[in-house]
PDB file of all heavy atoms in Angstrom:
ATOM      1  N   LYS O 145     -36.154  15.650 -16.050  1.00  0.00           N
ATOM      2  CA  LYS O 145     -37.227  15.497 -17.024  1.00  0.00           C
ATOM      3  C   LYS O 145     -37.511  16.795 -17.763  1.00  0.00           C
ATOM      4  O   LYS O 145     -37.925  16.792 -18.926  1.00  0.00           O
ATOM      5  CB  LYS O 145     -38.487  15.009 -16.305  1.00  0.00           C
ATOM      6  CG  LYS O 145     -39.556  14.443 -17.224  1.00  0.00           C
ATOM      7  CD  LYS O 145     -40.663  13.785 -16.429  1.00  0.00           C
ATOM      8  CE  LYS O 145     -41.687  13.157 -17.374  1.00  0.00           C
ATOM      9  NZ  LYS O 145     -42.767  12.495 -16.634  1.00  0.00           N
ATOM     10  N   SER O 146     -37.288  17.930 -17.070  1.00  0.00           N
ATOM     11  CA  SER O 146     -37.548  19.215 -17.716  1.00  0.00           C
ATOM     12  C   SER O 146     -36.545  19.519 -18.815  1.00  0.00           C
ATOM     13  O   SER O 146     -36.794  20.371 -19.670  1.00  0.00           O
ATOM     14  CB  SER O 146     -37.497  20.329 -16.669  1.00  0.00           C
ATOM     15  OG  SER O 146     -36.193  20.422 -16.122  1.00  0.00           O
ATOM     16  N   MET O 147     -35.376  18.842 -18.817  1.00  0.00           N
ATOM     17  CA  MET O 147     -34.348  19.081 -19.828  1.00  0.00           C
ATOM     18  C   MET O 147     -34.646  18.342 -21.124  1.00  0.00           C
ATOM     19  O   MET O 147     -33.985  18.580 -22.136  1.00  0.00           O
ATOM     20  CB  MET O 147     -32.981  18.636 -19.295  1.00  0.00           C
ATOM     21  CG  MET O 147     -32.594  19.281 -17.977  1.00  0.00           C
ATOM     22  SD  MET O 147     -32.520  21.079 -18.095  1.00  0.00           S
ATOM     23  CE  MET O 147     -31.119  21.228 -19.212  1.00  0.00           C
ATOM     24  N   LYS O 148     -35.611  17.431 -21.124  1.00  0.00           N
ATOM     25  CA  LYS O 148     -35.919  16.675 -22.333  1.00  0.00           C
ATOM     26  C   LYS O 148     -36.720  17.534 -23.306  1.00  0.00           C
ATOM     27  O   LYS O 148     -37.648  18.245 -22.920  1.00  0.00           O
ATOM     28  CB  LYS O 148     -36.724  15.423 -21.984  1.00  0.00           C
ATOM     29  CG  LYS O 148     -35.936  14.384 -21.211  1.00  0.00           C
ATOM     30  CD  LYS O 148     -36.756  13.132 -20.989  1.00  0.00           C
ATOM     31  CE  LYS O 148     -35.952  12.077 -20.247  1.00  0.00           C
ATOM     32  NZ  LYS O 148     -36.724  10.852 -20.034  1.00  0.00           N
ATOM     33  N   THR O 149     -36.370  17.449 -24.580  1.00  0.00           N
ATOM     34  CA  THR O 149     -37.083  18.173 -25.628  1.00  0.00           C
ATOM     35  C   THR O 149     -38.071  17.238 -26.317  1.00  0.00           C
ATOM     36  O   THR O 149     -38.052  16.024 -26.128  1.00  0.00           O
ATOM     37  CB  THR O 149     -36.091  18.719 -26.655  1.00  0.00           C
ATOM     38  OG1 THR O 149     -35.401  17.617 -27.254  1.00  0.00           O
ATOM     39  CG2 THR O 149     -35.078  19.652 -26.006  1.00  0.00           C
ATOM     40  N   VAL O 150     -38.936  17.845 -27.127  1.00  0.00           N
ATOM     41  CA  VAL O 150     -39.889  17.045 -27.893  1.00  0.00           C
ATOM     42  C   VAL O 150     -39.156  16.123 -28.855  1.00  0.00           C
ATOM     43  O   VAL O 150     -39.539  14.977 -29.088  1.00  0.00           O
ATOM     44  CB  VAL O 150     -40.868  17.982 -28.640  1.00  0.00           C
ATOM     45  CG1 VAL O 150     -41.847  17.179 -29.473  1.00  0.00           C
ATOM     46  CG2 VAL O 150     -41.602  18.867 -27.652  1.00  0.00           C
ATOM     47  N   ASN O 151     -38.061  16.618 -29.399  1.00  0.00           N
ATOM     48  CA  ASN O 151     -37.276  15.832 -30.351  1.00  0.00           C
ATOM     49  C   ASN O 151     -36.746  14.554 -29.707  1.00  0.00           C
ATOM     50  O   ASN O 151     -36.830  13.463 -30.271  1.00  0.00           O
ATOM     51  CB  ASN O 151     -36.122  16.702 -30.868  1.00  0.00           C
ATOM     52  CG  ASN O 151     -35.377  16.015 -31.996  1.00  0.00           C
ATOM     53  OD1 ASN O 151     -35.791  14.961 -32.464  1.00  0.00           O
ATOM     54  ND2 ASN O 151     -34.293  16.618 -32.425  1.00  0.00           N
ATOM     55  N   SER O 152     -36.195  14.687 -28.478  1.00  0.00           N
ATOM     56  CA  SER O 152     -35.641  13.503 -27.807  1.00  0.00           C
ATOM     57  C   SER O 152     -36.726  12.502 -27.454  1.00  0.00           C
ATOM     58  O   SER O 152     -36.520  11.293 -27.522  1.00  0.00           O
ATOM     59  CB  SER O 152     -34.897  13.936 -26.547  1.00  0.00           C
ATOM     60  OG  SER O 152     -35.800  14.529 -25.627  1.00  0.00           O
ATOM     61  N   MET O 153     -37.910  12.989 -27.100  1.00  0.00           N
ATOM     62  CA  MET O 153     -38.996  12.069 -26.750  1.00  0.00           C
ATOM     63  C   MET O 153     -39.505  11.302 -27.963  1.00  0.00           C
ATOM     64  O   MET O 153     -39.847  10.134 -27.884  1.00  0.00           O
ATOM     65  CB  MET O 153     -40.139  12.849 -26.090  1.00  0.00           C
ATOM     66  CG  MET O 153     -39.805  13.312 -24.673  1.00  0.00           C
ATOM     67  SD  MET O 153     -41.220  13.975 -23.791  1.00  0.00           S
ATOM     68  CE  MET O 153     -41.359  15.568 -24.589  1.00  0.00           C
ATOM     69  N   ILE O 154     -39.520  11.942 -29.135  1.00  0.00           N
ATOM     70  CA  ILE O 154     -39.958  11.251 -30.360  1.00  0.00           C
ATOM     71  C   ILE O 154     -38.963  10.169 -30.736  1.00  0.00           C
ATOM     72  O   ILE O 154     -39.317   9.076 -31.121  1.00  0.00           O
ATOM     73  CB  ILE O 154     -40.136  12.270 -31.501  1.00  0.00           C
ATOM     74  CG1 ILE O 154     -41.350  13.149 -31.219  1.00  0.00           C
ATOM     75  CG2 ILE O 154     -40.299  11.563 -32.835  1.00  0.00           C
ATOM     76  CD1 ILE O 154     -41.511  14.267 -32.196  1.00  0.00           C
ATOM     77  N   LYS O 155     -37.682  10.445 -30.572  1.00  0.00           N
ATOM     78  CA  LYS O 155     -36.661   9.442 -30.900  1.00  0.00           C
ATOM     79  C   LYS O 155     -36.774   8.224 -29.999  1.00  0.00           C
ATOM     80  O   LYS O 155     -36.602   7.101 -30.424  1.00  0.00           O
ATOM     81  CB  LYS O 155     -35.268  10.054 -30.769  1.00  0.00           C
ATOM     82  CG  LYS O 155     -34.944  11.025 -31.889  1.00  0.00           C
ATOM     83  CD  LYS O 155     -33.531  11.556 -31.736  1.00  0.00           C
ATOM     84  CE  LYS O 155     -33.190  12.507 -32.866  1.00  0.00           C
ATOM     85  NZ  LYS O 155     -31.834  13.047 -32.741  1.00  0.00           N
ATOM     86  N   GLN O 156     -37.071   8.445 -28.753  1.00  0.00           N
ATOM     87  CA  GLN O 156     -37.243   7.303 -27.847  1.00  0.00           C
ATOM     88  C   GLN O 156     -38.464   6.483 -28.219  1.00  0.00           C
ATOM     89  O   GLN O 156     -38.450   5.273 -28.185  1.00  0.00           O
ATOM     90  CB  GLN O 156     -37.376   7.816 -26.415  1.00  0.00           C
ATOM     91  CG  GLN O 156     -36.069   8.364 -25.855  1.00  0.00           C
ATOM     92  CD  GLN O 156     -36.241   8.881 -24.447  1.00  0.00           C
ATOM     93  OE1 GLN O 156     -37.330   8.822 -23.892  1.00  0.00           O
ATOM     94  NE2 GLN O 156     -35.166   9.402 -23.879  1.00  0.00           N
ATOM     95  N   ARG O 157     -39.565   7.166 -28.626  1.00  0.00           N
ATOM     96  CA  ARG O 157     -40.787   6.460 -28.960  1.00  0.00           C
ATOM     97  C   ARG O 157     -40.629   5.663 -30.249  1.00  0.00           C
ATOM     98  O   ARG O 157     -41.170   4.606 -30.438  1.00  0.00           O
ATOM     99  CB  ARG O 157     -41.922   7.481 -29.097  1.00  0.00           C
ATOM    100  CG  ARG O 157     -43.310   6.881 -28.948  1.00  0.00           C
ATOM    101  CD  ARG O 157     -44.338   7.977 -29.048  1.00  0.00           C
ATOM    102  NE  ARG O 157     -44.128   8.986 -28.031  1.00  0.00           N
ATOM    103  CZ  ARG O 157     -44.477  10.256 -28.177  1.00  0.00           C
ATOM    104  NH1 ARG O 157     -45.037  10.663 -29.296  1.00  0.00           N
ATOM    105  NH2 ARG O 157     -44.272  11.114 -27.210  1.00  0.00           N
ATOM    106  N   GLY O 158     -39.869   6.177 -31.166  1.00  0.00           N
ATOM    107  CA  GLY O 158     -39.688   5.495 -32.440  1.00  0.00           C
ATOM    108  C   GLY O 158     -38.637   4.420 -32.409  1.00  0.00           C
ATOM    109  O   GLY O 158     -38.457   3.700 -33.382  1.00  0.00           O
ATOM    110  N   GLY O 159     -37.886   4.313 -31.308  1.00  0.00           N
ATOM    111  CA  GLY O 159     -36.850   3.278 -31.204  1.00  0.00           C
ATOM    112  C   GLY O 159     -35.697   3.532 -32.144  1.00  0.00           C
ATOM    113  O   GLY O 159     -35.433   2.797 -33.080  1.00  0.00           O
ATOM    114  N   GLU O 160     -34.962   4.619 -31.933  1.00  0.00           N
ATOM    115  CA  GLU O 160     -33.869   4.976 -32.830  1.00  0.00           C
ATOM    116  C   GLU O 160     -32.753   3.946 -32.755  1.00  0.00           C
ATOM    117  O   GLU O 160     -32.367   3.513 -31.682  1.00  0.00           O
ATOM    118  CB  GLU O 160     -33.321   6.341 -32.433  1.00  0.00           C
ATOM    119  CG  GLU O 160     -32.215   6.814 -33.349  1.00  0.00           C
ATOM    120  CD  GLU O 160     -31.519   8.031 -32.777  1.00  0.00           C
ATOM    121  OE1 GLU O 160     -31.742   8.330 -31.602  1.00  0.00           O
ATOM    122  OE2 GLU O 160     -30.763   8.655 -33.513  1.00  0.00           O
ATOM    123  N   GLN O 161     -32.230   3.556 -33.892  1.00  0.00           N
ATOM    124  CA  GLN O 161     -31.152   2.579 -33.960  1.00  0.00           C
ATOM    125  C   GLN O 161     -29.833   3.317 -34.151  1.00  0.00           C
ATOM    126  O   GLN O 161     -29.787   4.384 -34.742  1.00  0.00           O
ATOM    127  CB  GLN O 161     -31.370   1.615 -35.150  1.00  0.00           C
ATOM    128  CG  GLN O 161     -32.664   0.824 -35.051  1.00  0.00           C
ATOM    129  CD  GLN O 161     -32.641  -0.143 -33.892  1.00  0.00           C
ATOM    130  OE1 GLN O 161     -31.587  -0.598 -33.510  1.00  0.00           O
ATOM    131  NE2 GLN O 161     -33.800  -0.456 -33.349  1.00  0.00           N
ATOM    132  N   PRO O 162     -28.739   2.789 -33.638  1.00  0.00           N
ATOM    133  CA  PRO O 162     -27.444   3.440 -33.857  1.00  0.00           C
ATOM    134  C   PRO O 162     -27.044   3.428 -35.325  1.00  0.00           C
ATOM    135  O   PRO O 162     -27.465   2.578 -36.100  1.00  0.00           O
ATOM    136  CB  PRO O 162     -26.474   2.578 -33.021  1.00  0.00           C
ATOM    137  CG  PRO O 162     -27.180   1.277 -32.844  1.00  0.00           C
ATOM    138  CD  PRO O 162     -28.636   1.583 -32.823  1.00  0.00           C
ATOM    139  N   LYS O 163     -26.209   4.395 -35.670  1.00  0.00           N
ATOM    140  CA  LYS O 163     -25.839   4.553 -37.071  1.00  0.00           C
ATOM    141  C   LYS O 163     -25.007   3.393 -37.589  1.00  0.00           C
ATOM    142  O   LYS O 163     -24.924   3.159 -38.771  1.00  0.00           O
ATOM    143  CB  LYS O 163     -25.059   5.865 -37.257  1.00  0.00           C
ATOM    144  CG  LYS O 163     -25.939   7.090 -37.032  1.00  0.00           C
ATOM    145  CD  LYS O 163     -25.162   8.358 -37.284  1.00  0.00           C
ATOM    146  CE  LYS O 163     -26.031   9.589 -37.078  1.00  0.00           C
ATOM    147  NZ  LYS O 163     -25.302  10.836 -37.319  1.00  0.00           N
ATOM    148  N   LYS O 164     -24.364   2.639 -36.703  1.00  0.00           N
ATOM    149  CA  LYS O 164     -23.537   1.528 -37.139  1.00  0.00           C
ATOM    150  C   LYS O 164     -24.369   0.408 -37.760  1.00  0.00           C
ATOM    151  O   LYS O 164     -23.865  -0.401 -38.512  1.00  0.00           O
ATOM    152  CB  LYS O 164     -22.742   0.968 -35.954  1.00  0.00           C
ATOM    153  CG  LYS O 164     -21.672   1.922 -35.457  1.00  0.00           C
ATOM    154  CD  LYS O 164     -20.894   1.287 -34.335  1.00  0.00           C
ATOM    155  CE  LYS O 164     -19.816   2.238 -33.837  1.00  0.00           C
ATOM    156  NZ  LYS O 164     -19.058   1.661 -32.725  1.00  0.00           N
ATOM    157  N   ALA O 165     -25.640   0.356 -37.415  1.00  0.00           N
ATOM    158  CA  ALA O 165     -26.499  -0.718 -37.932  1.00  0.00           C
ATOM    159  C   ALA O 165     -26.950  -0.466 -39.361  1.00  0.00           C
ATOM    160  O   ALA O 165     -27.528  -1.324 -39.996  1.00  0.00           O
ATOM    161  CB  ALA O 165     -27.724  -0.879 -37.040  1.00  0.00           C
ATOM    162  N   ILE O 166     -26.708   0.723 -39.914  1.00  0.00           N
ATOM    163  CA  ILE O 166     -27.142   1.042 -41.278  1.00  0.00           C
ATOM    164  C   ILE O 166     -26.223   0.358 -42.270  1.00  0.00           C
ATOM    165  O   ILE O 166     -25.012   0.528 -42.226  1.00  0.00           O
ATOM    166  CB  ILE O 166     -27.123   2.567 -41.506  1.00  0.00           C
ATOM    167  CG1 ILE O 166     -28.082   3.234 -40.525  1.00  0.00           C
ATOM    168  CG2 ILE O 166     -27.499   2.907 -42.931  1.00  0.00           C
ATOM    169  CD1 ILE O 166     -28.016   4.745 -40.559  1.00  0.00           C
ATOM    170  N   LYS O 167     -26.758  -0.451 -43.188  1.00  0.00           N
ATOM    171  CA  LYS O 167     -25.959  -1.189 -44.157  1.00  0.00           C
ATOM    172  C   LYS O 167     -26.451  -0.906 -45.571  1.00  0.00           C
ATOM    173  O   LYS O 167     -27.413  -0.168 -45.806  1.00  0.00           O
ATOM    174  CB  LYS O 167     -26.012  -2.687 -43.871  1.00  0.00           C
ATOM    175  CG  LYS O 167     -25.351  -3.048 -42.534  1.00  0.00           C
ATOM    176  CD  LYS O 167     -25.315  -4.535 -42.343  1.00  0.00           C
ATOM    177  CE  LYS O 167     -24.633  -4.886 -41.037  1.00  0.00           C
ATOM    178  NZ  LYS O 167     -24.574  -6.321 -40.803  1.00  0.00           N
ATOM    179  N   LYS O 168     -25.809  -1.557 -46.513  1.00  0.00           N
ATOM    180  CA  LYS O 168     -26.064  -1.276 -47.915  1.00  0.00           C
ATOM    181  C   LYS O 168     -27.368  -1.892 -48.410  1.00  0.00           C
ATOM    182  O   LYS O 168     -27.947  -1.452 -49.402  1.00  0.00           O
ATOM    183  CB  LYS O 168     -24.882  -1.819 -48.741  1.00  0.00           C
ATOM    184  CG  LYS O 168     -25.002  -1.595 -50.229  1.00  0.00           C
ATOM    185  CD  LYS O 168     -23.828  -2.224 -50.931  1.00  0.00           C
ATOM    186  CE  LYS O 168     -23.998  -2.123 -52.440  1.00  0.00           C
ATOM    187  NZ  LYS O 168     -22.914  -2.775 -53.160  1.00  0.00           N
ATOM    188  N   LYS O 169     -27.872  -2.933 -47.732  1.00  0.00           N
ATOM    189  CA  LYS O 169     -28.994  -3.696 -48.250  1.00  0.00           C
ATOM    190  C   LYS O 169     -30.233  -2.820 -48.361  1.00  0.00           C
ATOM    191  O   LYS O 169     -30.516  -1.978 -47.514  1.00  0.00           O
ATOM    192  CB  LYS O 169     -29.281  -4.883 -47.332  1.00  0.00           C
ATOM    193  CG  LYS O 169     -28.134  -5.894 -47.331  1.00  0.00           C
ATOM    194  CD  LYS O 169     -28.469  -7.074 -46.444  1.00  0.00           C
ATOM    195  CE  LYS O 169     -27.342  -8.095 -46.465  1.00  0.00           C
ATOM    196  NZ  LYS O 169     -27.624  -9.240 -45.607  1.00  0.00           N
ATOM    197  N   GLU O 170     -31.001  -3.063 -49.443  1.00  0.00           N
ATOM    198  CA  GLU O 170     -32.179  -2.242 -49.706  1.00  0.00           C
ATOM    199  C   GLU O 170     -33.320  -2.598 -48.759  1.00  0.00           C
ATOM    200  O   GLU O 170     -34.139  -1.749 -48.426  1.00  0.00           O
ATOM    201  CB  GLU O 170     -32.642  -2.454 -51.147  1.00  0.00           C
ATOM    202  CG  GLU O 170     -31.624  -1.978 -52.181  1.00  0.00           C
ATOM    203  CD  GLU O 170     -32.108  -2.224 -53.589  1.00  0.00           C
ATOM    204  OE1 GLU O 170     -33.224  -2.738 -53.754  1.00  0.00           O
ATOM    205  OE2 GLU O 170     -31.356  -1.886 -54.507  1.00  0.00           O
TER     206      GLU O 170
END
Side-chain angles (χ1 to χ4, degrees):
K145 196 171 183 179
S146 64
M147 305 300 293
K148 292 184 178 181
T149 61
V150 178
N151 188 7
S152 64
M153 288 190 285
I154 290 174
K155 287 182 179 179
Q156 289 179 0
R157 201 178 301 152
E160 182 191 13
Q161 299 293 332
K163 292 183 179 180
K164 291 182 180 179
I166 299 173
K167 294 185 179 180
K168 180 183 175 183
K169 294 182 179 179
E170 296 179 1

